[in-house]
Amino acid sequence: MVSRALALLYAFDDRHRRLTLTELARRAGLPVPTAYRLAGELVAGGALVRRADGAYVVGRRLWDVGLLAPVQTGLRRIAAPFLNDIHAVTRATVHLAIRDGAKVLYLERLSGRASVPVVSRVGARLPMHATGVGKALLAHAPYEVQEAVMADLAPLTPYTITRPDRLRAQLEQVRRDGCATTVEEMTLGACSIAVPVRGRDGEAVAAIGVVVPTLKRDRARLLSALQVAAQGVTRSLGG
């Protein structure tokens, strides 16, 4: 019973936020009657919401529980003042993210004043190869994770890096320079720069980044602010 209920919940992802009963049953690998019965129980418990058109979406109660995960609550709390400092200095959209498998998971987002298109949101999982925070984490990820990402370099804009050799060269540069950048690779009109946050053992446990219209003018200032913040988070983590 529990495994089937989990299969329904795991049917949702960043590309499938709204599912009909038929879609939900198919993605969960369950018969439609079984999916209907279990979905009803999840709706009653607040884990799912059934909209007026009959489609299902993830419920707020499930999201609230997810935010209690130690890696999220602890890291978000520690990073909060440093993220606020970056936001005050840059007025850009600021991100805190971690790696979740072969995706980048956004733990925090402070919206900037500039009208830059940003598709991220707290809780979103986005491709690592097309985001600044994603590249900052991917450069220090295990070999098998890097290979999994290389095998699926989906083009999101005309500027997305889709050749493994080019991405590998970029990741090598990230390791040399200590920062990652994107230029309209996730969204047209948006550029980003990000740095890794180190843990106690020196491992990249998170990344902090900003999204701006261009990196041509203030790259040095943005990088300096990110590096100071990342070092502050590392010290607070005991690294």
Side-chain angles (χ1 to χ4, degrees), residues 83 93-99 103-108 120 124 126-140 171 174 179-182 191-197 204-211 226:
L83 300 181
T93 295
V94 183
H95 287 141
L96 171 69
I98 61 173
R99 182 175 65 83
K103 297 283 188 179
V104 58
L105 170 62
Y106 288 78
L107 299 185
E108 190 60 274
S120 64
L126 296 179
M128 300 186 77
H129 70 287
T131 57
V133 286
K135 288 183 184 180
L137 291 165
L138 184 60
H140 303 284
L171 297 181
V174 171
C179 69
T181 61
T182 64
C191 303
S192 66
I193 182 168
V195 300
V197 174
V205 297
I208 298 175
V210 295
V211 180
L226 289 170

Side-chain angles (χ1 to χ4, degrees), residues 161-235:
I161 305 302
T162 58
R163 286 173 41 191
D165 59 332
R166 286 191 60 195
L167 183 57
R168 287 192 178 94
Q170 280 198 354
L171 297 181
E172 180 59 35
Q173 185 172 356
V174 171
R175 289 187 286 270
R176 290 198 307 268
D177 298 345
C179 69
T181 61
T182 64
V183 179
E184 298 188 288
E185 296 166 41
M186 185 72 209
T187 310
L188 293 177
C191 303
S192 66
I193 182 168
V195 300
V197 174
R198 304 286 183 176
R200 296 177 182 176
D201 57 359
E203 181 184 1
V205 297
I208 298 175
V210 295
V211 180
V212 292
T214 178
L215 293 172
K216 293 180 180 180
R217 293 190 300 270
D218 298 325
R219 176 186 171 118
R221 181 174 67 92
L222 295 171
L223 178 57
S224 177
L226 289 170
Q227 289 173 331
V228 169
Q231 291 167 4
V233 176
T234 294
R235 286 195 298 270

Side-chain angles (χ1 to χ4, degrees), residues 51-177:
R51 292 183 167 174
D53 62 0
Y56 294 88
V57 296
V58 173
R60 178 59 187 267
R61 179 58 181 156
L62 187 62
W63 170 244
D64 290 341
V65 171
L67 289 178
L68 298 176
V71 67
Q72 296 188 19
T73 54
L75 185 55
R76 290 178 75 200
R77 176 181 54 79
I78 289 171
F82 301 101
L83 300 181
N84 288 326
D85 286 346
I86 296 175
H87 189 259
V89 170
T90 66
R91 296 303 180 185
T93 295
V94 183
H95 287 141
L96 171 69
I98 61 173
R99 182 175 65 83
D100 183 21
K103 297 283 188 179
V104 58
L105 170 62
Y106 288 78
L107 299 185
E108 190 60 274
R109 167 185 161 177
L110 303 180
S111 297
R113 289 186 177 179
S115 57
V116 180
V118 180
V119 299
S120 64
R121 60 174 181 79
V122 175
R125 290 171 173 79
L126 296 179
M128 300 186 77
H129 70 287
T131 57
V133 286
K135 288 183 184 180
L137 291 165
L138 184 60
H140 303 284
Y143 173 79
E144 59 271 20
V145 173
Q146 294 188 8
E147 289 304 297
V149 173
M150 298 291 176
D152 185 24
L153 299 180
L156 301 164
T157 77
Y159 305 103
T160 306
I161 305 302
T162 58
R163 286 173 41 191
D165 59 332
R166 286 191 60 195
L167 183 57
R168 287 192 178 94
Q170 280 198 354
L171 297 181
E172 180 59 35
Q173 185 172 356
V174 171
R175 289 187 286 270
R176 290 198 307 268
D177 298 345

